[in-house]
Amino acid sequence: MDELLAKERRARLAAERRLEQKEAELMAANRRLGQHSRDLTLEIGATRRKVAAIEDEKKDVLNRLGHAVEKMQVVESQLWKALEAMRDGFAMFGEDGRLEVANHAFRNIFDDLEMVRTGVGYRTLITLMATEGLVDLGQETPHEWISRIGDLWMSDPFEPQTLKMWNGRFLKLQNQRTADGAVVCLVVDMTDLMRMWAAVHELPDGFVLYDAEDRLVMCNDRYRKFYHRSAESMVPGAQFEDIIRYGLDHNQYPEAIGREEAWLAERLAHHQKPENVLEQRLEGGRWVRVFEKQTSDGGRVGLRVDITALKETQKDLESAMERAEAANRAKSSFLANMSHEIRTPMNGVVGMTELLMDTGLTSEQRLYTETIRNSGEALLAIINDVLDYSKIEADKLELRPEEFDFERLLNEVIMLLQPSAKDKGVALRVDYDLFLPTCFVGDGPRLRQVLTNLIGNAVKFTLEGSVTIRVVGIEAGPQTALHVTVEDTGIGIPKEKIDHIFGEFNQVEEERNRQFEGTGLGLAITKRLVELMEGNIWVDSVEGKGSCFGFRVSLPTAAEAENTVGLVELDVGRAVIVDSNSHTRSILSRRLQIWGVESQSYATINALDLNTVDADVLFLSDGQDSASSVQMAKRIRAQGFAHPIIAFSENADQISQDGAALFHALLPVPAPRGDVLEALKRIEQGPVTIPLRERSEPEPEADQPIEQTPEPEALASAEQVQDTPDPAEEAPSKTLDVLLAEDNKTNQLVFSKMVKAMPITLRVANNGEEAVAAYQEQRPDLIFMDISMPRMDGKEATQKIRELEGDGSRTPIIAVTAHALVGDREAIMSAGLDDHITKPVRKDSIAGMIDKWAQDHSGERKNAGLSSVESSGE
Ligand code: ADP
């Protein structure tokens, strides 16, 4: 029982334990449940809040959607309005090819046909176009056209089509398929562009347009024809460089063959320029002128003009020019040769006539001889003119700038022309700007030629009155712009002939003009020379009243040409001027004023009372009558005027035999300012000499007023007179050994006759070789050397002689040249010659050279006293 009880107790205990366990488990489950329910409550709260937020958001989204839809509707309506307003047609077709929307412009294409509305098929529209005659079908039948354009519907991408419409307008059809299979159709009005395009096609020139990326936009047929070998590459969008390369590969550009890459680089460089013009030779012998210019949008437009004919004409012209130039050269050398040939006998004629005139001739014979000599000289002058002109024409004439005194040069020209002016009673006046420098750098001899021509003409064409030469200038830095005018009161030139006279061989062809000699070349040469000096020449003239020729040249002012002549202050006191010409009186008085010398002027000697006159120097001009100045001077001295007299004389040589001792100085007319100044300076310095120019013979006047005017100046003059060697006593006996090298027998004869009376021994060599041999045999004191001689010319012979001389003493060698060679002076001088005279040789010039260069045996230069003429040294 116990056992049973125990068993039962044990079972009860076990059951109680299990119950406790179950209770504990239940408690734990209960706790967990509680926790879970709390969690759930929290979660539900959070979810509720979320749902509320989402609700808000949804409301907001809906709100915004509402706005967006509204906006979309606005935009859609605006878009539609815009599409409606477009000039271009716009339509949309569904995937099935049915029209969904179309704007007004699109519908307009179909002339507002009823059928054209939403739902109509694409192919129906095409068919309408063809059958209603809306489109110009060209060569195609309606059927062909409809099937061609209809088939395009399927193509993707769609190739744009240009349609020509019944009313002449051009429409470009462009279709674009969208992602959902619909098709947008755009119809653009191309009428204006097509018109321009048609015009471009009609252009006779090639036209091409590239865009900013250098891709071809368009070119016309002409352009393709020019570059027909490259034409295939000329598709829209092709790069310029690729087209050129294609051309290079297909021999489009003959000038590039063999240097393709270099040529391409050059071509591209040209193409890149904002604007370029070049000439291009194309295959087939064609020439085009290429114009290329950048457009405002960065593209490039180009034109190609066919210049083949122009090139051919140019080539013809060039070859004609070459032929003409060759002919011209031939003419020039013919003229040069001829002139030499003519000159040689002419020199003989002129020289021999001069000698003949020294022999005893009857007055009739003298007249004939003089006529022969004058005609010969005139003929030589004409030959020289023709030669000069042909030289200028052949561009052979070059200027040789050297320093020269322009005023002196002008005065020399005046002195040369003075006799002919005087013969006609025409006064020659010079007005050289007082403050203008006189020394410049330029081609003096050529300027002399210009002046000689202009002043010579003025004298020639003036029968009475005067010729006035005015020189003014503007100094601009180192240059002086010289402005020279030659004004005459002559026959004048008719207006219509003014341009004509500057042409070669042109004269004012009138009966009265025939009385004047001339070739009509002078002004043509003058004009060319002035132009060669980069100057200009002009003329103003009134027929019957006179002419005024002027020229302007700009020359560098010579360094030593500081205007010292104008800026000097003299301490001379007062001067009296006696001159019948009011013009020259006033020029001299202005000059004197500048040097600080006050002056009073009188037209004649009678007008002035020498007893009362207060003057330290008297200027006397003999005007037209050279003898009178000596007479006047005598009268002046007789009246007790003891101060220096400075005389201006147009013929100093005559006075030298007459009464030069009366004068403090004897100056030529016109006298360079420098000479007047020199004479005045010598008064300042005290004792004076007579006259300025060296004279060979002293004045043996018996009734010299020296006794009456024992003034220091006059006494000094007398001494000077006594100092002058008597030529009879002092002239060297025939000791001077002169060698003449000359091939022409006549010239030898002329020369030897001319020097016959001179105190020299003349040896003659027939050419350069003989001259050198003669030199070696016995060294001469002086050599006259012809330049062009057979076997050995004058230059070579001179060089040989100079070599033989080495460092020893130098024998003066004088070149005897033809006028044609004057321009080659430098070449002659550089060959070792010392000076030159021109042919035909004159007694005076030979004597002058001997005077200038003769040396005695000790090597000292001495004056042989042969000449009264100073060499100009040119
Ligand atoms: P040439 O004097 O040798 O005839 P130019 O060429 O020097 O030739 O002159 C051409 C022409 O111009 C002269 O023939 C003359 O008709 C005219 N002419 C030139 N200078 C003058 C002038 N000062 N007065 C009038 N006519 C002139």
Side-chain angles (χ1 to χ4, degrees):
M1 184 67 189
D2 284 344
E3 222 174 77
L4 270 173
L5 277 170
K7 222 176 158 181
E8 196 186 59
R9 210 180 55 233
R10 278 197 306 266
R12 198 177 27 112
L13 280 172
E16 276 174 1
R17 267 200 313 272
R18 271 202 304 277
L19 191 68
E20 272 170 24
Q21 198 181 345
K22 283 292 171 193
E23 269 177 355
E25 280 176 3
L26 203 64
M27 289 275 283
N30 217 6
R31 263 196 319 276
R32 281 203 300 276
L33 203 64
Q35 184 60 40
H36 185 65
S37 121
R38 275 195 305 282
D39 287 351
L40 262 181
T41 313
L42 282 175
E43 209 171 292
I44 286 167
T47 309
R48 274 200 187 127
R49 279 196 301 282
K50 260 191 202 159
V51 167
I54 287 170
E55 272 296 309
D56 286 349
E57 217 169 279
K58 185 183 144 198
K59 267 188 204 153
D60 187 42
V61 167
L62 279 176
N63 213 352
R64 277 192 282 163
L65 195 70
H67 282 304
V69 169
E70 255 174 50
K71 262 191 195 161
M72 233 172 70
Q73 280 166 346
V74 171
V75 169
E76 194 187 324
S77 106
Q78 280 174 346
L79 192 70
W80 188 241
K81 272 187 200 153
L83 283 173
E84 278 292 301
M86 256 171 53
R87 275 188 73 234
D88 301 328
F90 171 86
M92 247 179 106
F93 294 86
E95 206 180 352
D96 55 357
R98 304 216 160 265
L99 181 66
E100 288 177 353
V101 286
N103 71 353
H104 177 69
F106 188 88
R107 291 193 305 274
N108 210 12
I109 297 166
F110 299 91
D111 214 11
D112 284 330
L113 278 173
E114 255 307 288
M115 286 179 74
V116 184
R117 56 173 186 264
T118 312
V120 68
Y122 178 80
R123 199 167 265 276
T124 313
L125 289 178
I126 302 261
T127 313
L128 266 180
M129 273 185 154
T131 53
E132 293 290 323
L134 296 174
V135 69
D136 182 344
L137 303 175
Q139 305 295 320
E140 289 171 295
T141 64
H143 179 72
E144 282 166 351
W145 190 84
I146 292 166
S147 76
R148 180 169 68 83
I149 302 289
D151 289 350
L152 284 171
W153 174 255
M154 306 304 293
S155 63
D156 191 18
F158 180 85
E159 197 182 313
Q161 295 297 308
T162 302
L163 312 179
K164 187 176 179 197
M165 306 308 285
W166 63 276
N167 52 7
R169 298 174 69 210
F170 287 89
L171 303 179
K172 188 174 181 186
L173 189 62
Q174 274 171 304
N175 287 356
Q176 178 80 46
R177 199 169 286 276
T178 64
D180 58 1
V183 171
V184 175
C185 175
L186 206 61
V187 187
V188 182
D189 192 327
M190 305 267 294
T191 315
D192 290 346
L193 204 68
M194 289 305 286
R195 278 198 191 124
M196 268 165 54
W197 187 218
V200 165
H201 267 291
E202 292 307 317
L203 280 180
D205 304 324
F207 176 90
V208 66
L209 183 66
Y210 286 91
D211 67 12
E213 267 76 52
D214 231 3
R215 289 179 305 227
L216 180 69
V217 178
M218 62 183 284
C219 64
N220 65 2
D221 284 346
R222 187 83 177 130
Y223 185 84
R224 288 168 172 280
K225 274 189 191 138
F226 278 140
Y227 299 101
H228 67 103
R229 295 205 171 196
S230 321
E232 254 179 52
S233 64
M234 291 173 191
V235 289
Q239 284 286 330
F240 174 78
E241 184 174 341
D242 294 341
I243 297 176
I244 299 286
R245 277 192 187 281
Y246 186 93
L248 284 173
D249 292 343
H250 292 79
N251 290 337
Q252 175 67 71
Y253 310 100
E255 60 194 20
I257 293 170
R259 55 182 293 269
E260 283 78 2
E261 281 307 314
W263 186 89
L264 178 70
E266 285 164 20
R267 182 67 189 93
L268 289 177
H270 270 292
H271 182 70
Q272 293 314 319
K273 288 184 194 164
E275 193 170 346
N276 92 76
V277 179
L278 55 100
E279 290 180 355
Q280 216 172 48
R281 190 156 70 87
L282 301 179
E283 167 281 330
R286 286 206 158 277
W287 276 90
V288 286
R289 181 167 292 142
V290 176
F291 294 98
E292 283 176 339
K293 193 169 191 308
Q294 202 162 23
T295 57
S296 54
D297 65 349
R300 220 159 284 272
V301 63
L303 265 188
R304 302 292 183 272
V305 180
D306 192 338
I307 52 163
T308 315
L310 204 77
K311 277 279 170 188
E312 272 161 16
T313 319
Q314 195 177 327
K315 216 168 111 194
D316 288 351
L317 274 176
E318 273 165 17
S319 79
M321 189 80 156
E322 266 168 35
R323 285 199 302 276
E325 271 169 10
N328 209 15
R329 279 194 296 276
K331 183 188 81 182
S332 298
S333 71
F334 169 77
L335 278 172
N337 292 339
M338 278 310 289
S339 97
H340 185 78
E341 295 305 316
I342 299 171
R343 190 186 307 275
T344 309
M346 277 313 295
N347 288 339
V349 172
V350 173
M352 290 311 272
T353 5
E354 201 174 316
L355 288 174
L356 193 59
M357 277 163 67
D358 283 348
T359 60
L361 296 176
T362 65
S363 60
E364 196 178 12
Q365 284 166 338
R366 178 164 295 277
L367 178 71
Y368 295 162
T369 320
E370 253 172 30
T371 312
I372 296 171
R373 192 191 64 180
N374 292 345
S375 309
E377 280 179 350
L379 186 55
L380 277 172
I382 292 171
I383 295 167
N384 292 340
D385 262 6
V386 172
L387 237 151
D388 263 347
Y389 193 77
S390 57
K391 261 191 161 188
I392 298 178
E393 214 185 15
D395 286 334
K396 292 254 173 64
L397 195 129
E398 277 178 26
L399 295 177
R400 290 167 199 277
E402 275 178 5
E403 261 183 37
F404 73 102
D405 185 332
F406 186 60
E407 192 191 17
R408 194 167 286 279
L409 186 143
L410 173 62
N411 288 333
E412 282 167 9
V413 173
I414 302 277
M415 275 194 278
L416 272 175
L417 294 167
Q418 196 80 270
S420 29
K422 218 163 112 185
D423 286 349
K424 300 165 128 190
V426 171
L428 253 182
R429 298 166 185 161
V430 180
D431 190 355
Y432 194 101
D433 184 352
L434 292 170
F435 292 99
L436 191 67
T438 64
C439 290
F440 304 99
V441 180
D443 193 327
R446 291 297 173 188
L447 264 173
R448 178 199 301 272
Q449 205 174 345
V450 168
L451 290 170
T452 309
N453 273 333
L454 295 183
I455 305 172
N457 273 351
V459 171
K460 180 161 72 172
F461 295 106
T462 303
L463 304 175
E464 58 181 6
S466 60
V467 173
T468 309
I469 299 100
R470 288 195 179 82
V471 185
V472 290
I474 302 163
E475 283 180 80
Q479 296 273 118
T480 301
L482 279 175
H483 185 286
V484 183
T485 53
V486 180
E487 194 176 341
D488 65 51
T489 56
I491 61 168
I493 304 158
K495 224 175 176 169
E496 67 279 8
K497 297 280 184 182
I498 293 254
D499 292 334
H500 169 81
I501 53 164
F502 285 104
E504 50 270 31
F505 304 109
N506 287 352
Q507 297 176 312
V508 176
E509 297 283 359
E510 274 183 27
E511 275 301 302
R512 55 173 197 159
N513 197 42
R514 302 285 11 120
Q515 62 183 298
F516 304 103
E517 285 177 354
T519 55
L521 268 178
L523 283 180
I525 295 173
T526 303
K527 183 167 187 274
R528 297 283 195 108
L529 286 177
V530 171
E531 282 166 359
L532 213 63
M533 294 173 195
E534 292 174 3
N536 56 328
I537 184 165
W538 64 91
V539 58
D540 290 320
S541 185
V542 178
E543 199 180 356
K545 292 229 159 123
S547 314
C548 180
F549 282 80
F551 69 93
R552 198 181 288 115
V553 285
S554 199
L555 298 176
T557 319
E560 64 185 49
E562 297 290 305
N563 193 7
T564 46
V565 179
L567 297 173
V568 174
E569 270 285 324
L570 288 175
D571 188 19
V572 169
R574 303 173 66 81
V576 161
I577 302 167
V578 182
D579 192 328
S580 56
N581 188 307
S582 62
H583 180 80
T584 38
R585 273 201 313 266
S586 96
I587 291 181
L588 181 59
S589 126
R590 274 188 284 143
R591 278 185 190 177
L592 292 174
Q593 204 173 3
I594 285 171
W595 297 327
V597 182
E598 286 301 317
S599 65
Q600 278 178 293
S601 300
Y602 299 91
T604 64
I605 191 98
N606 299 334
L608 101 150
D609 181 355
L610 285 161
N611 296 317
T612 58
V613 79
D614 173 22
D616 304 298
V617 58
L618 190 143
F619 287 93
L620 191 60
S621 171
D622 61 8
Q624 304 291 317
D625 179 6
S626 58
S628 69
S629 60
V630 175
Q631 299 308 322
M632 283 192 284
K634 281 183 189 164
R635 267 181 61 194
I636 292 166
R637 292 287 185 225
Q639 287 180 38
F641 183 80
H643 294 285
I645 302 174
I646 297 175
F648 297 104
S649 176
E650 286 174 10
N651 206 335
D653 289 346
Q654 284 181 20
I655 293 188
S656 68
Q657 293 148 12
D658 255 313
L662 293 166
F663 305 117
H664 165 72
L666 186 53
L667 303 176
V669 178
R673 278 178 297 169
D675 289 3
V676 180
L677 187 66
E678 274 303 303
L680 286 169
K681 274 186 177 165
R682 283 196 313 235
I683 296 178
E684 258 190 317
Q685 288 158 6
V688 293
T689 53
I690 53 146
L692 273 185
R693 284 172 181 264
E694 272 179 39
R695 282 173 206 295
S696 51
E697 292 166 62
E699 171 51 44
E701 282 263 319
D703 55 350
Q704 273 182 24
I706 297 167
E707 301 89 52
Q708 295 156 22
T709 55
E711 285 294 307
E713 297 94 308
L715 286 175
S717 306
E719 273 166 33
Q720 172 79 18
V721 171
Q722 279 156 18
D723 280 352
T724 312
D726 180 348
E729 281 172 30
E730 294 281 322
S733 52
K734 297 207 173 195
T735 51
L736 206 66
D737 182 13
V738 175
L739 176 66
L740 168 71
E742 166 68 67
D743 59 318
N744 184 282
K745 294 283 178 231
T746 316
N747 287 348
Q748 288 177 4
L749 181 64
V750 170
F751 196 99
S752 57
K753 294 286 181 199
M754 280 181 175
V755 300
K756 201 167 91 187
M758 295 181 195
I760 62 165
T761 319
L762 185 71
R763 288 188 286 152
V764 179
N766 289 308
N767 55 48
E769 270 176 17
E770 282 186 23
V772 176
Y775 174 89
Q776 283 172 307
E777 193 179 298
Q778 185 191 320
R779 216 198 95 174
D781 297 315
L782 185 63
I783 304 175
F784 284 91
M785 182 78 78
D786 184 19
I787 294 298
S788 47
M789 288 185 289
R791 299 166 78 104
M792 185 188 285
D793 71 14
K795 284 194 253 181
E796 200 184 337
T798 305
Q799 276 160 354
K800 288 252 151 53
I801 291 171
R802 294 291 178 234
E803 277 165 27
L804 289 169
E805 280 172 346
D807 293 334
S809 68
R810 186 178 163 109
T811 305
I813 307 183
I814 318 296
V816 184
T817 63
H819 167 90
L821 291 170
V822 171
D824 305 332
R825 182 171 184 259
E826 271 164 31
I828 295 171
M829 293 304 170
S830 65
L833 289 119
D834 297 293
D835 214 329
H836 90 272
I837 53 173
T838 48
K839 290 182 181 177
V841 290
R842 310 292 298 260
K843 219 166 158 179
D844 271 355
S845 54
I846 301 173
M849 282 295 150
I850 294 176
D851 262 6
K852 188 174 170 192
W853 291 102
Q855 296 175 339
D856 65 15
H857 292 299
S858 65
E860 294 238 337
R861 208 171 276 175
K862 67 181 180 186
N863 192 328
L866 299 172
S867 162
S868 59
V869 179
E870 272 194 345
S871 159
S872 67
E874 270 166 38

